[in-house]
């Protein structure tokens, strides 16, 4: 989903004062409901508290739509566990350092006792896989119901769209990534009709094209000068709003006021 956003402000001095001008731009944002993501985070926190034997302090990072070149960095050497739901497929993403920290926490080892770069033992791999499966059991609020509680170990999740992270702060430090194969399409909450804009005031301007004139003749114009207008010139009037031409037609006077008879709207110009 594309939203109107603003870039980071760039300081600029205006009349001796500091001002911040933020250029507008359209950017992709996830449409995952915050309430659903919070339900997942709470479920994962309770699951990990049970696995680790200690209360878990966790932070939730809002869902995003990573750029295509960001996915390789997110998934580099990560363990991926995929579940298939009725709404979307979801995957638990555990990078090596995070998998090591999670395994150490399950075995009760102190924080930082193991290197985040070392390879996991067979037993540790089994523990991490089971932990990922337990985490995946909490993903129904974002991927929909599952016919079976099967968790697949996969090597890639090509085509996945949205992503968010859960940061475990206590009793271990680790990040758990959650990726989804599709972003939900938000239901329209209403639409803007012409009637909603009826009270908006705009400045309309009618101009008359008198053709070309030499610059020297323009310079000689003075207050009170008379500019001749031929009858045919009255048919070359244009109606503009904010610099955009909306219609053309014939100028004249109606009931003592200047008027324009529209001969063609913008599409026909």
């Amino acid at each position: 989903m594309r939203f109107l956003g603003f870039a980071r402000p760039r300081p600029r001095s205006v009349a001796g004062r500091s001002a911040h001008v933020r250029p507008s731009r359209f950017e992709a944002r996830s449409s995952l409901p915050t309430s659903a993501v919070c339900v997942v985070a709470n479920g994962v926190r309770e699951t990990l508290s049970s696995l680790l034997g200690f209360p878990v302090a966790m932070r939730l990072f809002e869902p995003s739509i990573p750029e295509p070149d960001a996915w390789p960095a997110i998934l580099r050497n990560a363990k991926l566990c995929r579940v298939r739901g009725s709404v979307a497929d979801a995957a638990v993403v555990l990078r090596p350092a995070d998998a090591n920290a999670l395994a150490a926490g399950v075995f009760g080892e102190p924080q930082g006792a193991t290197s985040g770069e070392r390879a996991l033992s067979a037993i540790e791999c089994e523990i991490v896989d089971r932990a990922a499966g337990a985490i995946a059991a909490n993903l129904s609020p974002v991927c929909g119901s599952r016919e079976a509680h099967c968790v697949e170990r996969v090597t890639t999740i090509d085509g996945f769209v949205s992503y968010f992270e859960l940061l475990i702060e206590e009793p271990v430090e680790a990040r758990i990534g959650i990726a989804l194969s599709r972003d939900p399409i938000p239901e329209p909450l209403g639409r803007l009709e012409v009637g909603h804009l009826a009270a908006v005031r705009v400045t309309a301007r009618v101009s008359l094209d008198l053709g070309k004139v030499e610059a020297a003749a323009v310079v000689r114009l003075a207050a009170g000068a008379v500019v001749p207008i031929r009858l045919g010139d009255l048919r070359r009037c244009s109606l503009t709003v904010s610099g955009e031409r909306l219609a053309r037609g014939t100028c004249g006077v109606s009931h003592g006021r200047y008027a324009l008879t529209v001969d063609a709207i913008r599409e026909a110009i």
Side-chain angles (χ1 to χ4, degrees), residues 1 31 33 184-191:
M1 187 72 177
S31 298
I185 300 175
E187 296 183 2
L189 301 179
R191 60 183 181 181

Side-chain angles (χ1 to χ4, degrees), residues 11 26 28 37 48 65 70 77 85 91 104 109 133 143 148 164 174 176-177 180 218 222 232-233 252 255 267:
F26 283 98
V37 177
L48 292 177
I65 305 292
N77 300 325
E109 298 179 6
C143 71
F164 64 93
I176 300 172
L180 295 173
V218 176
D233 296 334
H255 301 290
E267 291 78 1

Side-chain angles (χ1 to χ4, degrees), residues 13-36:
S13 178
V14 178
R17 295 179 299 174
S18 178
H20 297 281
V21 178
R22 302 180 63 186
S24 61
R25 65 185 181 187
F26 283 98
E27 55 190 28
R29 295 182 188 172
S30 175
S31 298
L32 277 173
T34 303
S35 57

Side-chain angles (χ1 to χ4, degrees), residues 148-179:
H149 295 282
C150 178
V151 179
E152 307 173 69
R153 278 293 308 275
V154 295
T155 58
T156 182
I157 51 173
D158 290 339
F160 274 49
V161 177
S162 53
Y163 179 78
F164 64 93
E165 283 190 342
L166 308 173
L167 173 62
I168 307 171
E169 297 181 322
E170 294 290 343
V172 297
E173 293 181 5
R175 288 176 180 263
I176 300 172
I178 306 295

